[in-house]
Amino acid sequence: MEKEKSEKKLGIALVGLGKYSAGQLAPALQETQHCYLAGIVTGSALKASEWKARHHLPDTNIYDYTTFDSIAGNKDIDIVYVVLPNSMHAEYVIRAAKAGKHVICEKPMALTVEDCDRMITACKEAGKMLSIGYRLHFEPHTRELIEYGRSKRFGEWNLIRAENGMGSTEGWRLNKEMAGGGPLMDVGIYCVQGTRYITGLEPISVTAQEGPKKSPERFKNIEESLSWQFEFPNGIIAQCKSSYADEYNLLRAEGSSGWVELSPAYAYNGIKGKTSEINLSLPEVNQQAKQMDDFAIAIKSNRPTPVPGEMGRQDVKLLQAIYQAMKTGEKIMIG
Ligand code: NAD
C-alpha cells in the first residue's frame, strides 16, 4: 500500500496558460517521473479545447477562473501551479490552499510581504505544502556554485556580481499594478536569489539607483533598469543590476583564493560555468521537470521543499528594500 502510494504520479493543474506554462511547464510535465499534467485553469475557451486535445485531459479537469474553487473535489489534482501575472499569485495560492491542494507559485511570490504571509498561513492552515518556482536550485551548475560557497572551495567570498537583463518586454509586465515593478520583479529577482544562494547568507543593507530611461513613454510607472548593492555579513559586497533595455546574464563570485562564474546563469538551458581553475562541464537538465518532481517527492515522502514560501517571502522583502533604497537614495538596513 505504501509502495503504491509513493509510486503514484501526483496530478498537477496549471493555472494560467501563458508563455511559461505552454513553452516550459507543459513540455517539462512530459518528462517528469513523479507528477503529470492532470488539469488546467484558463479563462480562454479556445485554449481549453486546444490543451484538452493536446494533453488528453478529461472535461472534468478543465476549469475557468469562476469554477476554480470546485477543484477541491477533484481527486486527480494534488498540486495547483499558479502561473499568472504577479499581482494574481496571492489570490490563487490562497484559493488553491483553501481547496485543499498543495501549491507551487511562480516568482515573484507576491507584490508585498503581507501577501506572502497570508499565502504561507493559508497553506499551513490547510496542512498543504507551498513552494516557489525557483527552478535553478535543481540546475547542476548552480548547485555546484552553492557547494563551492558552502565548502569555501575558493576561500571567503569578497565580491559577488549578479546581473540579469532582457532587451525588451511587453504586456502586463509594463503595468505596475500587475507586475509590482519593472525588471527587478521579473528578472532582477534571480540576482537577489543568486546572491543569497551563493553566499548562504542574508544581506544586511542595500543601496540602489534607477537607470536612465531610453523609452520613458513605455516605462511610465516602473523602472527600465536599476543597479543595487547588497552588503552581506563578513564584508561581502554584491553588485547587481537588472534591465528591460539591455541583455546580460551573469553570476560571478570572487573569493580569497579564486573565482567562479556562470554566464548565462539564469537561462532555461545552456548554462555555462567556469572557475579560476577549470571550465565546468556538467549535464544539461530540464530544470522545470526536476523542480516539479522534487516537489512531488517532497509531498510523497513528507519532507520539506528546498524552495518554500518562506524563501519567496524573503526575496519579496529584499525587493521591497531595493525599491525603498532606489526611491529614497538612502542606504536601507534590512532587519
Ligand atoms: P504570460 O503573460 O505569458 O501568461 C500569463 C497568463 O495569465 C496568460 O495565459 C493570461 O491569459 C493569464 N491571465 C489571467 N488573468 C489575467 C489578467 N487579468 N491579465 C493578464 N493575464 C491574465 O506570462 P508568463 O511569462 O507565462 O508569466 C506568468 C508567471 O510566471 C509570472 O509570475 C512570471 O514571473 C512567471 N515566470 C516564471 C519563469 C521562471 O523561469 N520561473 C519564467 C517565465 C515566467
Side-chain angles (χ1 to χ4, degrees), residues 227-297:
S227 309
W228 73 98
Q229 302 78 37
F230 278 140
E231 189 187 343
F232 282 85
N234 312 328
I236 304 169
I237 300 295
Q239 295 175 345
C240 310
K241 61 179 185 174
S242 180
S243 171
Y244 275 153
D246 297 307
E247 287 190 18
Y248 33 75
N249 202 310
L250 172 79
L251 180 59
R252 181 181 164 95
E254 295 176 14
S256 47
S257 60
W259 53 265
V260 300
E261 181 176 301
L262 298 186
S263 185
Y266 315 108
Y268 298 146
N269 42 47
I271 292 185
K272 288 204 172 34
K274 54 189 177 183
T275 76
S276 42
E277 293 168 359
I278 52 163
N279 283 329
L280 296 180
S281 127
L282 296 165
E284 174 103 24
V285 300
N286 185 316
Q287 299 168 23
Q288 290 84 359
K290 293 263 177 212
Q291 171 213 321
M292 290 187 278
D293 263 347
D294 186 83
F295 190 53
I297 295 167

Side-chain angles (χ1 to χ4, degrees), residues 16-21 47 65 81-86 88-89 106-108 133-135 172-173 178 185-186 190 268 288 291:
L17 306 180
K19 283 208 191 90
Y20 193 54
S21 282
K47 280 188 196 168
Y65 298 108
Y81 196 153
V82 177
V83 203
L84 290 164
N86 305 344
M88 300 173 75
H89 292 178
E106 259 315 318
K107 42 59 60 176
Y134 287 142
R135 56 187 165 76
W172 60 265
R173 284 179 167 84
M178 299 206 82
M185 297 299 281
D186 193 29
Y190 288 94
Y268 298 146
Q288 290 84 359
Q291 171 213 321

Side-chain angles (χ1 to χ4, degrees), residues 76-311:
D76 291 350
I77 313 289
D78 303 286
I79 301 167
V80 165
Y81 196 153
V82 177
V83 203
L84 290 164
N86 305 344
S87 60
M88 300 173 75
H89 292 178
E91 176 189 342
Y92 281 86
V93 166
I94 292 168
R95 282 169 69 178
K98 287 195 170 148
K101 305 300 176 186
H102 300 284
V103 193
I104 311 176
C105 175
E106 259 315 318
K107 42 59 60 176
M109 181 172 169
L111 304 193
T112 65
V113 174
E114 292 71 28
D115 273 351
C116 295
D117 286 335
R118 293 196 303 121
M119 295 155 85
I120 291 169
T121 302
C123 292
K124 283 215 172 106
E125 282 177 1
K128 297 292 153 183
M129 286 178 64
L130 169 62
S131 76
I132 310 299
Y134 287 142
R135 56 187 165 76
L136 287 162
H137 287 254
F138 307 93
E139 194 285 315
H141 299 77
T142 306
R143 293 175 71 92
E144 187 80 351
L145 254 66
I146 294 172
E147 192 44 42
Y148 288 150
R150 269 195 202 127
S151 65
K152 306 213 184 295
R153 173 77 184 70
F154 296 97
E156 300 290 341
W157 298 135
N158 303 312
L159 181 67
I160 315 291
R161 276 176 59 203
E163 305 177 354
N164 198 6
M166 297 199 314
S168 65
T169 197
E170 57 182 8
W172 60 265
R173 284 179 167 84
L174 289 165
N175 176 334
K176 187 170 184 208
E177 281 65 45
M178 299 206 82
L184 178 63
M185 297 299 281
D186 193 29
V187 292
I189 187 171
Y190 288 94
C191 303
V192 171
Q193 268 279 299
T195 61
R196 293 180 63 208
Y197 55 63
I198 202 165
T199 59
L201 298 168
E202 296 301 334
I204 48 183
S205 73
V206 62
T207 50
Q209 307 79 33
E210 184 168 3
K213 286 185 183 175
K214 294 180 191 168
S215 311
E217 67 294 345
R218 294 187 78 219
F219 295 93
K220 282 199 191 78
N221 304 317
I222 58 170
E223 79 282 3
E224 186 182 280
S225 62
L226 83 165
S227 309
W228 73 98
Q229 302 78 37
F230 278 140
E231 189 187 343
F232 282 85
N234 312 328
I236 304 169
I237 300 295
Q239 295 175 345
C240 310
K241 61 179 185 174
S242 180
S243 171
Y244 275 153
D246 297 307
E247 287 190 18
Y248 33 75
N249 202 310
L250 172 79
L251 180 59
R252 181 181 164 95
E254 295 176 14
S256 47
S257 60
W259 53 265
V260 300
E261 181 176 301
L262 298 186
S263 185
Y266 315 108
Y268 298 146
N269 42 47
I271 292 185
K272 288 204 172 34
K274 54 189 177 183
T275 76
S276 42
E277 293 168 359
I278 52 163
N279 283 329
L280 296 180
S281 127
L282 296 165
E284 174 103 24
V285 300
N286 185 316
Q287 299 168 23
Q288 290 84 359
K290 293 263 177 212
Q291 171 213 321
M292 290 187 278
D293 263 347
D294 186 83
F295 190 53
I297 295 167
I299 292 166
K300 288 198 260 183
S301 56
N302 203 16
R303 66 139 162 91
T305 163
V307 287
E310 287 77 5
M311 180 182 273

